[in-house]
Amino acid sequence: MKAGMEVGRQETIEIDVTEDMFASFEGQVVHPVYSTVAMVYHMEWVSRKIILPFLEEHEEGMGAAVEVKHIHAAPLNTTVTLTATLVSYEHPQVITKVEAYHDQTLIGKGEVKQVILPKKVIREKIFTQDK
C-alpha cells in the first residue's frame, strides 16, 4: 500500500433509488423501496473508494465481511447518501464504518472489512479453490 491512508479518512457517494434496487426475490418485488442487498453493494463500493488511491499496481482489495443494520426505508427516486469512515488499518485488513442517510434520517449502518492482497495471491485463491 502507498503511504497516507489514515484512520478517519472518509469517502461519500450519493445514489438515486431506482426500481432495480427494490427488495425483490426471483424477479418479484416484495417492497418497492431500497433493498438491503442494494445497501450492502453501496456500502462495499463507498468503502472500496477509501482504498483505491493507495493500492499499488500489484495489489487489490477483497471483501472479507459486511455487517449491516437496515433501519428505515428509502422509496423510489429518493437520494441515499452513504459515507464510509476508515476506523482501522492493520495491513492487510481495512475496516470501515458506513452510514446511509435518506434526507436527515439514518436508514442503515454497518461495517465493511476488506483485505489487501497481491493480485497474484487473489488469482491463486480463486483458481485453486476447487482443486
Side-chain angles (χ1 to χ4, degrees):
M1 295 285 291
K2 297 174 187 170
M5 189 168 72
E6 296 184 12
V7 170
R9 176 178 169 72
Q10 290 188 319
E11 287 286 344
T12 298
I13 60 171
E14 287 188 350
I15 61 97
D16 293 322
V17 177
T18 58
E19 290 180 7
D20 63 314
M21 296 176 194
F22 284 174
S24 62
F25 294 94
E26 298 296 317
Q28 298 294 320
V29 173
V30 178
H31 308 292
V33 294
Y34 186 55
S35 70
T36 304
V37 170
M39 183 181 290
V40 168
Y41 172 85
H42 292 120
M43 285 183 168
E44 284 197 291
W45 171 236
V46 72
S47 294
R48 178 169 171 74
K49 288 183 68 162
I50 295 274
I51 66 169
L52 285 177
F54 303 99
L55 290 174
E56 299 282 352
E57 182 64 32
H58 70 281
E59 296 175 316
E60 186 52 88
M62 288 186 79
V66 177
E67 293 180 24
V68 173
K69 184 169 185 179
H70 196 155
I71 302 165
H72 290 288
L76 180 66
N77 297 325
T78 59
T79 300
V80 175
T81 303
L82 297 100
T83 301
T85 304
L86 180 62
V87 294
S88 176
Y89 172 51
E90 296 179 20
H91 192 71
Q93 295 184 9
V94 176
I95 298 175
T96 56
K97 295 281 186 189
V98 185
E99 293 183 334
Y101 283 86
H102 160 55
D103 290 329
Q104 300 298 316
T105 303
L106 179 68
I107 66 166
K109 61 183 178 177
E111 181 178 282
V112 176
K113 177 180 172 183
Q114 301 171 82
V115 180
I116 310 304
L117 297 170
K119 290 177 182 177
K120 179 181 177 186
V121 171
I122 294 171
R123 282 191 302 274
E124 289 169 359
K125 287 181 177 292
I126 293 170
F127 296 112
T128 61
Q129 200 169 30
D130 295 328
K131 295 180 182 179

